[in-house]
Amino acid sequence: MEAVSRGVQAARDFGAEALVVSLGFDASEHEPLNALNVTADGFARAGALIGGLGLPSALIQEGGYNIDLLGTLLQRFLTGWSEA
């Protein structure tokens, strides 16, 4: 969350007018490599932080190999985004 917070602040400081978000679900705690351990709640919080910018955005879903969870993680991210 610290990295996402820094990125959001950098977008604010820069005066970004739009975003392209590389949404990698390979950061999930349930991925085979398990390097970042992001929980479903973490994806929801990230969505809320980024969505809170209120900028026009393109989401590019990349990464994520546990296909049984991709839909759930996307739903959590978008729910956070829409509640921001």
Side-chain angles (χ1 to χ4, degrees), residues 13-77:
D13 292 347
F14 177 74
E17 297 177 8
L19 296 175
V20 175
V21 179
S22 177
L23 184 53
F25 292 119
D26 50 348
S28 167
E29 66 181 341
H30 299 289
E31 282 297 312
L33 295 177
N34 199 11
L36 297 177
N37 289 319
V38 178
T39 64
D41 287 343
F43 280 107
R45 287 193 310 271
L49 284 170
I50 299 167
L53 287 168
L55 296 174
S57 302
L59 301 176
I60 311 301
Q61 196 274 309
E62 51 89 17
Y65 305 97
N66 187 340
I67 59 172
D68 294 333
L69 289 177
L70 291 179
T72 298
L73 296 176
L74 177 60
Q75 180 181 14
R76 295 298 304 276
F77 181 87

